[in-house]
Amino acid sequence: MTQQERKSIATQQAPGAIGPYSQAVQYGNLLFTSGQLGMDASGQFAPTVEEQANRSLLNVKAILEAAGFGMGDIVKTTVFLKDMNDFQAVNEVYASFFSEPYPARSAVEVARLPKDGLVEIEVVARKSQLADRD
């Protein structure tokens, strides 16, 4: 892949796009994921906010792996919460997926998430050495 090519990334290991967007887009050595809800690939939500946060990050991980990236390549995350009172519970799950140096992060409470999810997470990742995958 040349540095200027834009490539759509998709995997069946995470929920498919429910609209006109990609699970992720790779642009050179950068990867931008769409927000990942706390549901499995069949569309079933986990029952608690902790389990939804875990599932959301497992979906992110599956998309990264489909593109040849790993969790250590993440440089920025955005966490959308239905209720900011769930921040600590989500933060504990989040911490189990990352090690230092941690990615930069924003966390915001939103009025409503797609399909009435409790948490949605999107990431930006950067791969230092991009192997020729084409």
Side-chain angles (χ1 to χ4, degrees):
M1 176 184 303
T2 67
Q3 286 294 325
Q4 300 306 312
E5 274 184 58
R6 188 174 75 166
K7 178 180 177 184
S8 179
I9 303 297
T11 178
Q12 293 183 347
Q13 303 305 308
I18 56 175
Y21 62 90
S22 300
Q23 285 175 321
V25 171
Q26 184 175 349
Y27 187 77
N29 66 340
L30 295 174
L31 185 73
F32 303 86
T33 71
S34 293
Q36 295 302 302
L37 294 166
M39 66 172 90
D40 62 22
S42 73
Q44 295 297 310
F45 274 104
T48 68
V49 71
E50 293 90 350
E51 291 170 301
Q52 285 192 27
N54 187 68
R55 173 45 56 194
S56 175
L57 287 163
L58 289 173
N59 292 339
V60 165
K61 184 177 180 186
I63 293 167
L64 289 169
E65 289 173 353
F69 287 68
M71 294 296 281
D73 295 320
I74 296 173
V75 295
K76 173 72 168 83
T77 66
T78 305
V79 179
F80 302 96
L81 297 164
K82 182 177 179 181
D83 185 347
M84 192 56 81
N85 290 317
D86 291 330
F87 178 81
Q88 187 56 41
V90 171
N91 199 47
E92 289 177 24
V93 173
Y94 180 96
S96 71
F97 280 83
F98 297 98
S99 57
E100 292 189 32
Y102 298 112
R105 179 179 72 183
S106 300
V108 295
E109 180 180 271
V110 296
R112 190 171 180 197
L113 288 168
K115 298 192 172 205
D116 292 318
L118 302 175
V119 63
E120 182 175 20
I121 301 172
E122 65 182 27
V123 307
V124 176
R126 180 183 182 276
K127 194 158 188 69
S128 300
Q129 297 294 325
L130 186 62
D132 184 17
R133 297 178 42 87
D134 292 337

